[in-house]
Amino acid sequence: MCGRYVSTRSPAELAGLFDVTSEPEPDQLLEPSWNVAPTDGVWAVLERADRDTGEVSRQLRALRWGLVPSWAKSLDIGAKMINARVETVHEKPAYRRAFAKRRCLLPADGFYEWQTVPASGGRKARKQPYFIAPEDGGVMALAGLYEFWHDPKAAEDDPGAWWVTCTIITTDATDAAGRVHPRMPLAVKAHDYEAWLDPAHQDTDDLRALLTSPAEGHLDARAVNTAVNSVRNNGPHLLDDGE
């Protein structure tokens, strides 16, 4: 799974990295985060067609992490749907429509996973966090899906009643990540961004073929500060060496 990650790049930097043509409004800006957690606002790169002109543009938008299907009765379900398994994402009712039409990229500096350290030498058993990121320090374009949800308790014309939520697609872990946790988020290669984001591209087999291991296996995993274990903590000190 992927339950926590790091996203510190600015909107301007992300716009350049992902050839974004439409940046977010000032009131949608997110602060850098070294401890992105479920239900937080996260940056997403996606492509949408203009309702009036039909012209497709690549946008940078702030979404809520934890996908809420359009038919859900409550926003709360999103906290349980932060990840979608690549093995079944094209079939599951909660994800299949989004997989066909509403795909996105979720930029990340890297992600966290945990290992249980057994009790020894008078110390209690504990969970040691590891930060897993590309060896070259590059951005990770995590494969994601997004969905629109309208609060059924709100008026149809209330703009605040609409939520746009997202999930991260995961797979079996390999290399450095596999030594820490059995699952890991998938990434999309730069030359596949266009095909992945294109809402008109709906061939399931072609789309699944675009999903590969992050950084093609060139990942680094290192123990970091246990302060990251609490979602209340944030800041660059969370990436200090641990153990």
Side-chain angles (χ1 to χ4, degrees):
M1 66 177 292
C2 176
R4 220 80 69 72
Y5 68 96
V6 177
S7 178
T8 64
R9 288 172 166 83
S10 69
E13 184 177 0
L14 292 175
L17 288 169
F18 292 96
D19 296 323
V20 168
T21 56
S22 177
E23 293 189 42
E25 297 296 327
D27 61 350
Q28 295 181 329
L29 296 184
L30 301 173
E31 293 295 326
S33 178
W34 287 263
N35 202 358
V36 179
T39 73
D40 282 352
V42 298
W43 286 126
V45 178
L46 55 89
E47 292 188 355
R48 295 284 295 173
D50 184 273
R51 288 186 177 182
D52 298 323
T53 66
E55 182 178 354
V56 175
S57 64
R58 185 170 296 182
Q59 307 171 12
L60 181 65
R61 298 184 61 168
L63 310 185
R64 186 180 193 265
W65 185 19
L67 189 139
V68 180
S70 60
W71 40 260
K73 295 181 179 180
S74 170
L75 189 68
D76 295 342
I77 193 175
K80 301 177 182 179
M81 301 181 71
I82 61 172
N83 293 159
R85 296 174 67 92
V86 69
E87 296 88 349
T88 56
V89 67
H90 60 299
E91 300 171 334
K92 292 287 187 180
Y95 304 121
R96 62 190 178 198
R97 289 186 64 186
F99 186 75
K101 299 181 179 181
R102 289 179 287 277
R103 298 174 300 276
C104 62
L105 300 172
L106 301 169
D109 302 355
F111 61 97
Y112 297 107
E113 291 296 356
W114 282 259
Q115 273 189 344
T116 298
V117 179
S120 65
R123 296 187 65 181
K124 296 181 179 180
R126 67 188 192 282
K127 286 193 173 183
Q128 174 61 53
Y130 285 78
F131 180 60
I132 303 169
E135 293 173 343
D136 63 3
V139 67
M140 301 177 73
L142 304 184
L145 310 176
Y146 69 97
E147 189 58 273
F148 293 91
W149 181 79
H150 184 272
D151 186 343
K153 298 178 181 178
E156 186 65 32
D157 59 352
D158 179 3
W162 282 97
W163 294 79
V164 190
T165 61
C166 61
T167 190
I168 295 173
I169 300 177
T170 65
T171 189
D172 288 333
T174 60
D175 298 340
R179 294 193 292 271
V180 179
H181 193 275
R183 300 291 292 183
M184 69 191 297
L186 280 161
V188 178
K189 298 177 183 177
H191 58 73
D192 289 329
Y193 291 171
E194 184 174 355
W196 177 252
L197 294 175
D198 182 1
H201 187 185
Q202 299 181 21
D203 186 293
T204 299
D205 291 336
D206 283 353
L207 291 167
R208 295 184 73 206
L210 301 177
L211 302 175
T212 62
S213 298
E216 298 183 300
H218 298 293
L219 296 171
D220 173 69
R222 62 182 180 85
V224 293
N225 195 322
T226 55
V228 76
N229 294 354
S230 171
V231 297
R232 293 189 296 273
N233 297 325
N234 213 318
H237 67 285
L238 299 183
L239 297 183
D240 290 346
D241 290 341
E243 292 189 310

